[in-house]
Amino acid sequence: MDPKEYSIKGFGYCNLSLAALHSEPDHRSEMVSQVLFGETFSIIDQRKNWRLVSCSLDDYAGWIEAGQYEEITEAEYMRLLHGNTPVSSELVQVISDNTHNRFFPLLLGSSLPGIDEQSFRIGQTEYVFEGDIRQPGIVDLQAGLLQAAFLYLHSPYQWGGRSPFGIDCSGFVQMVFKLVGISLLRDTGQQVSLGDVVNLPSEVRAGDIAFFDNDEGQIIHTGIIIDSKHIIHSSGFVKVNRFDHFGIFNEKGKRYTHKLRVIKRIL
C-alpha cells in the first residue's frame, strides 16, 4: 500500500516496548513489521479499533491496534521528527513512565528523542531511561555498524520482526543501520534501490549490503558483509556464514543457501 494515497488524520508514537503492524485491521492478518518504543508515525486511515499508519523512519504502512500507541499533536510530531534522537544500545533494559507511574522493557534500537541526563518527554509523558544509549553521528561508522550487528547475533528469525527477540533479514539490516544513525527503507526489495553498486566481491568492505535472489530473479534476502569472506544475516536466526561471489555458503550443510544478486554500499 502507498501511504501517499491517503490524507493524514493524526500523529502518534509507540508508547510500548513494541507494537505489531498488520497487513489488515485484524490480529489474524500477517504481521508485516513492528514499531519500537519512541518511533513516530502519521495516521492515514482508521477502521473501528484499528489505525493505518505510515512510519516516519521509512514511510512503511501497516495497521496498528488503537490501544498500542499514544496520539500526539502535529507540532509535537514535527519536534520529534527533526530533533536529536539517540537510541537504546542494550538488548533489553527498563524504562520508567513517571507520568503514569509505570515501567516496561525497552528493546535494542528503541528511539529516545531528546533524552538529556536520563530523562525526556514525548507529548505530555515524562520518561526516565538509565541504560546505555547511542548518539547519532558515530565517527567510525564501519566499526559501529559491525558492533551493532553483533548485538543481534543468535536472535531468532521472525517475519516482520525488528527486535532482538525476533527479526527478519531486512529488519535486521534496517535496525543495524538505525543504531549508527542511518535510516533505511523497510523491505529487501526497497533496500536494494539504495546506495552504490559494488562491482566485485573482492572490492567489498565491512558494512556493505549484499542482496540475494531466487530462481525467478526476485530479491528475497539480504545481509551485512563483515569482510570479503563472511556475512552476518538473519536466516533461521542471526548468524555469520561464509560468503563469496556465488552467495552464502553453509559449512554445516556443505551447500550454498542464497544466490548473490548484487552488493550495495551505503556508507
Side-chain angles (χ1 to χ4, degrees), residues 13-19 34-40 57 84-95 104-115 120 122 129 132-136 152 162-165 175-176 178-179:
Y13 78 98
C14 181
N15 63 339
L16 304 175
S17 301
L18 80 169
Q34 295 171 326
V35 286
L36 302 184
F37 173 84
E39 293 185 328
T40 58
L57 179 70
N84 179 52
T85 305
V87 295
S88 170
S89 60
E90 297 186 56
L91 283 177
V92 62
Q93 186 52 271
V94 173
I95 186 170
F104 54 93
L106 192 80
L107 304 178
L108 177 65
S110 298
S111 296
L112 304 166
I115 188 169
F120 61 102
I122 304 180
F129 180 67
D132 294 336
I133 65 172
R134 280 176 179 249
Q135 292 283 353
Y152 289 93
R162 296 177 65 236
S163 91
F165 298 102
M175 290 304 302
V176 169
K178 181 185 177 185
L179 280 162

Side-chain angles (χ1 to χ4, degrees), residues 21-42:
L21 291 184
H22 291 266
S23 60
E24 300 292 338
D26 189 321
H27 283 296
R28 293 168 295 185
S29 67
E30 177 186 31
M31 185 180 77
V32 294
S33 192
Q34 295 171 326
V35 286
L36 302 184
F37 173 84
E39 293 185 328
T40 58
F41 46 79
S42 55

Side-chain angles (χ1 to χ4, degrees), residues 91-148:
L91 283 177
V92 62
Q93 186 52 271
V94 173
I95 186 170
S96 299
D97 172 352
N98 286 357
T99 302
H100 302 98
N101 193 29
R102 68 185 184 114
F103 59 89
F104 54 93
L106 192 80
L107 304 178
L108 177 65
S110 298
S111 296
L112 304 166
I115 188 169
D116 182 25
E117 296 183 353
Q118 301 180 338
S119 66
F120 61 102
R121 174 183 61 83
I122 304 180
Q124 301 302 312
T125 305
E126 297 287 341
Y127 294 98
V128 173
F129 180 67
E130 299 179 358
D132 294 336
I133 65 172
R134 280 176 179 249
Q135 292 283 353
I138 295 174
V139 176
D140 189 342
L141 285 175
Q142 284 178 295
L145 195 76
L146 292 185
Q147 182 185 45

